[in-house]
Structures are given as C-alpha cells and as structure tokens.
Amino acid sequence: SSSGDEALRDKRARILSRGLPKQKPIEGVKQVVVVASGKGGVGKSTTAVNIALALAANDSTKEVGLLDADIYGPSIPKMMNLKGNPELTSKKLMRPLKNYGIACMSMGFLIEETAPVVWRGLMVMSAVEKLLRQVDWGQLDYLVIDMPPGTGDVQLSVSQNIPIAGAVIVSTPQDVALLDARKGAEMFRKVHVPVLGLVQNMSVFQCPKCKHQTHIFGADGVRDLAKTLGLDILGDIPLHVNIRETCDSGQPVVISQPQSDAAKAYLKIAMEIVRRLPVAPA
C-alpha cells in the first residue's frame, strides 16, 4: 500500500540521518563562506585572505572573520602578519588574533612556526572541531574559511557540521587544476552546499617592461569549466608579482595597494560573492 511505502521511506530517512551530524551554527556568525580548491598551489589561501579583506573594505559596517582550516599547512598567520597564542576567555574559548580589522584563527597560532603537524585523521578532526566551536568570534557578518586543498575529511566535516552560505572554488586555467576544481565543486553539491562561483586565478601574466600578456597556464579554462557546471565566474585574478610579495610580507594587496588592478579584482569578486549570498539572518 502507499501508506506502507511511505512509512518505509520515512524509516530509511531516519536511519540515514543518524549517520550525519546535526548542523549547528557558529555562535555570533551570521554567514559562512568557504574558499576551496581541489588542488594545492593554485593560490587559494591568497585568494581567501584578500576576499576577507575585500568584504570588509567594500562595506565598513560589516564585521569579517577568517578561519584557517588547513591544519597541515596553515598560512594565514604569515599572510595576515600575526603571531602569538590566542588568549582564553572566562568561558575557556579562544579569542581570535586581529589585524587589518579581520579576526583570525589558525592552527598556526597554536604550534611553533616551523613545527610540522604529524597527525592522523582523528586528531585533525578534533582540531577542526576546536577551531569551529571553541573560538569566541564575537559578532561577525561573514566568516571566511580557508579550506585545505582536496575533498577529504576536513571538507566533509566542515560542510556537514555548520551551515554554509556558499562556497567559492579557486583554480588556475590549466587542465590538471581544472580536473580537481571540478571534483571540489561536485563535492559541495553532494553535501548540499551552494557553490557561489569560480575564481580564475593566475589568469594572465603581463610583462612589467613591454606589457605583453602571456597566458602561462592557458586561457579561459576556468570559464569553460564554469559553463560545463552551470556556474558563474566571480572574477579573474592576474599572475602578478605584487600579489605574491604583499602576502609574503604580511601586507595583502587589498590593504597595501588598494588602487592596483589586483586589489580591484578582489574587491569586485567580494561584491559578486555578497550579491549571490542568501539574505543574512537579522
């Protein structure tokens, strides 16, 4: 009978749901945006840092936080020019370190700068849980999470434990990076995280002397992937030495060179992200 089939479907749904953690918002955080890539080395962390700064620069009334979820290779402390250990509140929550108006938390604040993290999966998951749940973020309009590369345990854990307003996928135009970027986008779709769009990083190199432009990693590969997946391109970031130098020195280009073409590209991407986000809770 139809009622019997419906009861069976309900029972199956209950059994399946037991295996998934309940999504619980991070206290004080209105919207979470994750910045991810399938492949390492495509400039994801640089993009995450400059997007967080651009979100704040575009609207000075908004409070922005930045969470470094790359346990094995935390790079946010260096890029945001932050050192030291977080203070603890009376409730034993870690207080984020702050620079350029952005509240930051990273595994890099909890270990020595040169110490490798040699942990198995369960310890990594425990660390991610602490970074998500044991931090006093105050009141944030946006929390940008710099995800580790790939589609593994950390990505799944973050996606299944907290409500995410949207994901941004970063890739270079080369074929090897695009293969992994596609996997990243498909993973977020499987766990019901809306993909806001793709960022084409290192899109073109312009010779500083003769101004000739060279597509070192290929031209428009990310645009082609976006069409295939039915996604938007949020913007293109050029391959420019200033972007690398400013992040290495802890003075990201959005802050140190706000009138540069690179900074304007990040500011535009941040605007596109906000335009695609759902209406934030009051």
Side-chain angles (χ1 to χ4, degrees), residues 1 12 27 34 46 83 95 137 171 217 231 259 273 279:
S1 68
R12 281 178 182 160
E27 190 172 344
V34 298
T46 300
K83 284 185 179 180
R95 200 170 268 131
W137 289 105
S171 181
F217 295 107
L231 294 171
Q259 298 305 316
I273 288 171
V279 176

Side-chain angles (χ1 to χ4, degrees), residues 224-277:
D224 294 339
L225 176 61
K227 284 179 189 173
T228 302
L229 295 174
L231 294 171
D232 295 328
I233 285 283
L234 299 173
D236 292 72
I237 306 296
L239 177 60
H240 201 291
V241 67
N242 282 7
I243 297 175
R244 193 270 303 166
E245 286 178 345
T246 53
C247 266
D248 281 354
S249 66
Q251 298 175 313
V253 72
V254 166
I255 284 293
S256 59
Q257 299 175 15
Q259 298 305 316
S260 66
D261 289 342
K264 288 175 182 175
Y266 287 118
L267 292 165
K268 177 180 175 291
I269 287 168
M271 288 177 63
E272 293 296 326
I273 288 171
V274 171
R275 204 161 62 84
R276 287 165 174 77
L277 287 173

Side-chain angles (χ1 to χ4, degrees), residues 65-270:
L66 180 60
L67 172 59
D68 187 351
D70 194 344
I71 304 299
Y72 292 115
S75 52
I76 298 305
K78 182 173 180 62
M79 291 183 178
M80 290 295 287
N81 196 25
L82 287 167
K83 284 185 179 180
N85 301 116
E87 296 176 357
L88 291 180
T89 68
S90 58
K91 295 182 179 178
K92 303 296 184 188
L93 297 175
M94 292 182 287
R95 200 170 268 131
L97 276 63
K98 204 164 188 178
N99 198 12
Y100 308 124
I102 307 295
C104 302
M105 181 51 64
S106 170
M107 195 67 195
F109 300 146
L110 308 176
I111 58 172
E112 291 294 324
E113 189 175 8
T114 57
V117 177
V118 189
W119 290 350
R120 292 188 184 276
L122 285 174
M123 291 179 72
V124 172
M125 301 315 295
S126 175
V128 170
E129 182 68 17
K130 283 182 171 63
L131 291 175
L132 288 174
R133 301 290 179 201
Q134 295 184 21
V135 176
D136 180 8
W137 289 105
Q139 297 297 314
L140 294 181
D141 295 284
Y142 307 115
L143 176 62
V144 177
I145 301 184
D146 177 25
M147 300 282 261
T151 54
D153 287 345
V154 173
Q155 289 84 347
L156 284 171
S157 181
V158 171
S159 301
Q160 292 174 345
N161 274 285
I162 60 173
I164 296 172
V168 175
I169 307 293
V170 181
S171 181
T172 58
Q174 69 183 115
D175 289 348
V176 174
L178 292 168
L179 284 171
D180 291 338
R182 179 168 189 162
K183 291 174 188 173
E186 296 290 6
M187 183 210 75
F188 284 118
R189 283 178 164 174
K190 281 190 175 181
V191 293
H192 309 296
V193 171
V195 179
L196 303 176
L198 278 65
V199 172
Q200 182 162 254
N201 199 27
M202 309 182 198
S203 56
V204 65
F205 171 73
Q206 185 180 69
C207 175
K209 291 185 178 179
C210 70
K211 305 302 181 186
H212 176 73
Q213 293 191 340
T214 305
H215 295 276
I216 292 175
F217 295 107
D220 291 335
V222 178
R223 292 183 181 280
D224 294 339
L225 176 61
K227 284 179 189 173
T228 302
L229 295 174
L231 294 171
D232 295 328
I233 285 283
L234 299 173
D236 292 72
I237 306 296
L239 177 60
H240 201 291
V241 67
N242 282 7
I243 297 175
R244 193 270 303 166
E245 286 178 345
T246 53
C247 266
D248 281 354
S249 66
Q251 298 175 313
V253 72
V254 166
I255 284 293
S256 59
Q257 299 175 15
Q259 298 305 316
S260 66
D261 289 342
K264 288 175 182 175
Y266 287 118
L267 292 165
K268 177 180 175 291
I269 287 168

